[in-house]
Amino acid sequence: MGAMQKEVVSFKGVDKIYNTGTVALSQLDLSIHEGEFISFLGPSGCGKSTALRMVAGLGEATKGKVEVFGQNPKELIRNSNDIAYVFQDSNLLPWRTVLDNVVLPLELRGSNKNTRKEIAMRVLEMVGLKDYLKSYPRQLSGGMKMRVSIARALAAKPKLLLMDEPFAALDEMTRQSLQMDLLDIWKKERTTILFVTHNVYEAVYLSSQIAVMSARPGRLSSLIDVDLPYPRDRVTSTFTEYVDLASQSLEYSLNRKELG
Amino acid sequence: MTSQTATTNRSELVVESREMDEKKFRGKVKGTVFGPIIALVIFLSLWQSIPIVFDMKPFILPKPTDVLQAAIDDWHLLWPAIQVTVTESVIGFIISAIVGIWISILLASSRILEVSLYPYAVILQTIPVVAIAPIIVIWFGSGFNSIVIISFLIGFFPVVSNTLMGLNSVDENMGDLFSLYNASKWQTMWKLRIPAAMPYMMSGLKISCTLAIVGAITGEFIAGIGGGRGGLGYAITVAAVQLKTPYLFACAIAGAIFGIGFYLLVSLVSRFMLKSWHESSMKVEK
Ligand SMILES: Nc1ncnc2c1ncn2[C@@H]1O[C@H](COP(=O)(O)OP(=O)(O)OP(=O)(O)O)[C@@H](O)[C@H]1O
Ligand SMILES: [Mg+2]
């Protein structure tokens, strides 16, 4: 991605200390540009979710500043649908059908009923679920629920898509097919994606950039640009090199913590 | 007994056929119905034989057949009494459901209201209704109105405590989802908190429907007959004074049967309401 791309998300010297005293993030500086697919990779508890929640305006920095499209995220979500969030579990409302779940963001923003349905149908088609409009979440498999959740996030036409370990609970096959779907959507819609994962392979397969984070207090330990063309092949040697590089950075960040 | 399999591009979904569920369900019903019936038969035969064996007078312990006979002989008294009690407790229940749910929503919509008022609701609940019933009779006169109010007071609290618990038990991630889309307080209430509270609300209603009957019968003990027609509670006090023990038993059993019926009805409605809604009511599958 060129240097001229617009900045979408910026962390400037961000600290996050929870009122339990846990220092979740410390001195996080990061600038994310339009059209990037950036993965946050790091050990459990290093503040990945915390960072994502702050971008979505669901939590506030203790020190420093988080900006999205040059604005305070809390302000931004008050006035626009620019940000969507895919939660770790699909987080669907069990009393609503697939269609009604997908329509929810539009409904809350008070958009017209017919446009709502039109948009919902389009995104459900995109994730291959348009035959399940009337199903309830409990009637769907884990992978299908996750796709509904992604469709719901896309329904509001976000410019920024935040995904917190969306595929963590899925089996390998489902995960791989959803990864392909996600890359398709990313290419088509040109959204900026922030993606949290534990999985090095997943990070290398998906992202244009990988932000490796170190454990408590969470900070950015390295930023890797993944210069591989899409669609990526998991068995090429360059792919493996990137996997090794990311694993080493991850290990380094872990060791540093043990030493310090 | 077909089991359909629907396949999408990549994932699979197995839709268990409804027929199969129904068969399983029926099997379960058979098991759960037979046991209690056998127990009931044994209980009734013991009850029938004890007064005979020990040569007890019917006014001390009537046999089931005596009770049945009394119910048939005095049906012209029993039936109106049942109708009165049913009317009182159903109205009391409906009022406690409506008022209880609205008060819960009101309390849940404001943290300050909830914190300042809920303790008093709890305290009110600990005051035995029998103790305040005479005051209610003084205020509202003896008879129907007071009895309905007593029934309402007893049934009201379980609705409030359950509904309130449900309204406050919303999943954090779902709450975040609603904040992310800038949902207003009332949107969050109607589209998230109330639907999420439904199972709690329904279990509150199930508790309160049987309590409403207890309330009505207790109310009749105290607030008596006013205006002419007395309910089961009144009939029981009269029967006790006259030592018409078999009829007293008939009244009590009629009350119990109504209680069971009312409970089943409310459970059925609750099942229906939650059917499309929640996993919790679908535990039959698995
Ligand atoms: N609401 C909270 N209150 C107090 N501490 C919290 C809260 N949320 C998170 N933490 C703490 O902050 C730290 C970072 O949490 P966070 O959820 O951001 O980690 P994570 O990197 O997403 O971990 P994981 O990969 O396990 O999801 C953890 O130590 C966690 O215990
Ligand atoms: Mg997390």
Side-chain angles (χ1 to χ4, degrees):
Chain A
M1 296 291 141
M4 297 310 291
Q5 291 285 11
K6 203 167 92 187
E7 186 180 63
V8 175
V9 177
S10 82
F11 290 90
K12 288 188 190 127
V14 172
D15 285 5
K16 174 70 184 187
I17 304 165
Y18 282 106
N19 46 22
T20 52
T22 312
V23 184
L25 290 173
S26 152
Q27 285 300 309
L28 182 64
D29 281 296
L30 181 63
S31 168
I32 300 162
H33 295 275
E34 193 164 33
E36 295 281 3
F37 192 132
I38 182 167
S39 287
F40 288 82
L41 190 62
S44 186
C46 73
K48 304 181 297 288
S49 301
T50 304
L52 223 57
R53 288 174 52 83
M54 280 197 275
V55 174
L58 300 172
E60 250 166 312
T62 313
K63 225 181 91 195
K65 207 158 71 174
V66 181
E67 282 186 338
V68 183
F69 299 111
Q71 288 182 58
N72 177 331
K74 275 203 163 39
E75 288 295 315
L76 187 67
I77 60 169
R78 200 161 301 146
N79 306 314
S80 78
N81 273 338
D82 288 350
I83 305 178
Y85 201 116
V86 176
F87 296 82
Q88 179 161 354
D89 56 345
S90 54
N91 200 16
L92 301 175
L93 307 182
W95 54 86
R96 283 182 171 234
T97 60
V98 166
L99 180 66
D100 290 341
N101 262 291
V102 172
V103 143
L104 182 75
L106 306 167
E107 194 181 311
L108 292 176
R109 296 283 188 182
S111 74
N112 173 289
K113 234 183 183 150
N114 292 331
T115 14
R116 269 188 229 162
K117 183 153 187 205
E118 225 168 83
I119 295 171
M121 298 290 277
R122 189 180 63 84
V123 287
L124 279 167
E125 174 142 33
M126 211 186 278
V127 297
L129 282 179
K130 71 172 186 342
D131 297 334
Y132 292 91
L133 300 181
K134 296 247 141 53
S135 304
Y136 284 92
R138 65 180 149 76
Q139 297 169 309
L140 306 178
S141 70
M144 292 164 86
K145 274 189 248 185
M146 203 27 102
R147 281 194 269 166
V148 177
S149 171
I150 293 172
R152 177 177 63 191
L154 295 174
K157 275 201 172 279
K159 296 192 192 130
L160 176 63
L161 183 56
L162 310 174
M163 307 180 89
D164 194 352
E165 301 188 46
F167 307 148
L170 304 177
D171 63 279
E172 193 55 33
M173 291 251 290
T174 315
R175 182 197 324 230
Q176 288 192 9
S177 71
L178 284 178
Q179 287 170 348
M180 274 161 26
D181 291 344
L182 182 60
L183 286 177
D184 282 346
I185 290 163
W186 177 53
K187 227 175 295 162
K188 236 183 275 170
E189 310 277 308
R190 280 284 122 200
T191 32
T192 309
I193 299 181
L194 272 63
F195 189 97
V196 170
T197 180
H198 278 122
N199 186 325
V200 180
Y201 290 89
E202 183 168 68
V204 176
Y205 182 73
L206 292 174
S207 11
S208 57
Q209 279 190 320
I210 300 174
V212 182
M213 296 182 63
S214 62
R216 249 165 286 159
R219 35 164 70 105
L220 186 65
S221 98
S222 62
L223 191 62
I224 302 171
D225 282 302
V226 187
D227 266 324
L228 288 173
Y230 294 95
R232 290 173 179 169
D233 192 341
R234 287 168 218 262
V235 291
T236 60
S237 60
T238 38
F239 188 92
T240 319
E241 273 163 32
Y242 273 111
V243 170
D244 288 345
L245 180 63
S247 308
Q248 275 161 17
S249 311
L250 197 57
E251 236 163 76
Y252 173 76
S253 73
L254 284 173
N255 290 338
R256 200 180 57 179
K257 181 211 159 199
E258 274 159 25
L259 293 173
Chain B
M1 261 227 331
T2 49
S3 160
Q4 324 169 312
T5 309
T7 314
T8 57
N9 310 351
R10 298 183 183 107
S11 336
E12 284 195 338
L13 162 81
V14 180
V15 182
E16 245 186 274
S17 85
R18 227 157 239 287
E19 273 174 58
M20 206 138 104
D21 278 354
E22 250 156 49
K23 239 181 200 166
K24 252 192 262 166
F25 182 69
R26 244 176 251 149
K28 217 169 237 176
V29 166
K30 243 183 215 169
T32 49
V33 163
F34 266 132
I37 286 179
I38 291 168
L40 181 67
V41 170
I42 294 173
F43 173 74
L44 285 177
S45 2
L46 273 178
W47 179 8
Q48 181 72 24
S49 47
I50 286 173
I52 299 172
V53 173
F54 296 100
D55 191 27
M56 291 161 121
K57 295 280 182 305
F59 72 85
I60 300 293
L61 179 62
K63 299 185 288 292
T65 46
D66 299 335
V67 175
L68 191 64
Q69 192 59 50
I72 293 166
D73 290 345
D74 286 338
W75 184 249
H76 63 286
L77 296 174
L78 184 57
W79 180 234
I82 292 173
Q83 283 174 308
V84 169
T85 301
V86 168
T87 316
E88 289 158 351
S89 27
V90 169
I91 294 176
F93 168 71
I94 290 173
I95 297 175
S96 57
I98 294 172
V99 174
I101 289 170
W102 277 103
I103 286 192
S104 310
I105 292 173
L106 197 71
L107 290 185
S109 65
S110 152
R111 190 80 201 129
I112 298 172
L113 271 185
E114 184 179 348
V115 173
S116 18
L117 294 183
Y118 190 69
Y120 295 106
V122 177
I123 291 170
L124 276 182
Q125 175 61 17
T126 58
I127 301 173
V129 170
V130 183
I132 50 171
I135 302 170
I136 289 164
V137 176
I138 291 172
W139 287 345
F140 298 95
S142 61
F144 191 79
N145 291 347
S146 291
I147 295 167
V148 167
I149 289 169
I150 293 166
S151 159
F152 151 71
L153 283 177
I154 290 193
F156 164 74
F157 187 73
V159 179
V160 173
S161 61
N162 276 275
T163 309
L164 212 48
M165 194 196 294
L167 290 170
N168 289 326
S169 72
V170 167
D171 182 86
E172 226 175 287
N173 281 337
M174 291 183 186
D176 283 347
L177 184 74
F178 275 65
S179 341
L180 183 66
Y181 293 114
N182 197 33
S184 68
K185 198 167 112 182
W186 290 109
Q187 279 179 321
T188 311
M189 182 60 83
W190 290 114
K191 292 175 198 279
L192 177 63
R193 299 179 73 186
I194 291 174
M198 283 297 265
Y200 295 83
M201 215 183 275
M202 289 302 156
S203 65
L205 292 182
K206 276 197 247 177
I207 299 169
S208 120
C209 75
T210 47
L211 286 180
I213 299 169
V214 174
I217 292 179
T218 315
E220 286 162 356
F221 283 163
I222 298 156
I225 187 160
R229 306 209 318 160
L232 287 171
Y234 179 72
I236 287 171
T237 46
V238 173
V241 173
Q242 299 175 343
L243 281 184
K244 283 170 67 182
T245 315
Y247 182 62
L248 191 156
F249 268 75
C251 291
I253 290 170
I257 291 174
F258 166 49
I260 295 166
F262 197 24
Y263 180 81
L264 289 179
L265 183 72
V266 174
S267 303
L268 203 72
V269 171
S270 124
R271 232 185 117 82
F272 174 77
M273 296 280 280
L274 298 178
K275 197 163 196 172
S276 59
W277 238 250
H278 268 280
E279 298 100 299
S280 63
S281 66
M282 301 298 295
K283 56 182 182 280
V284 192
E285 294 181 338
K286 230 196 169 164

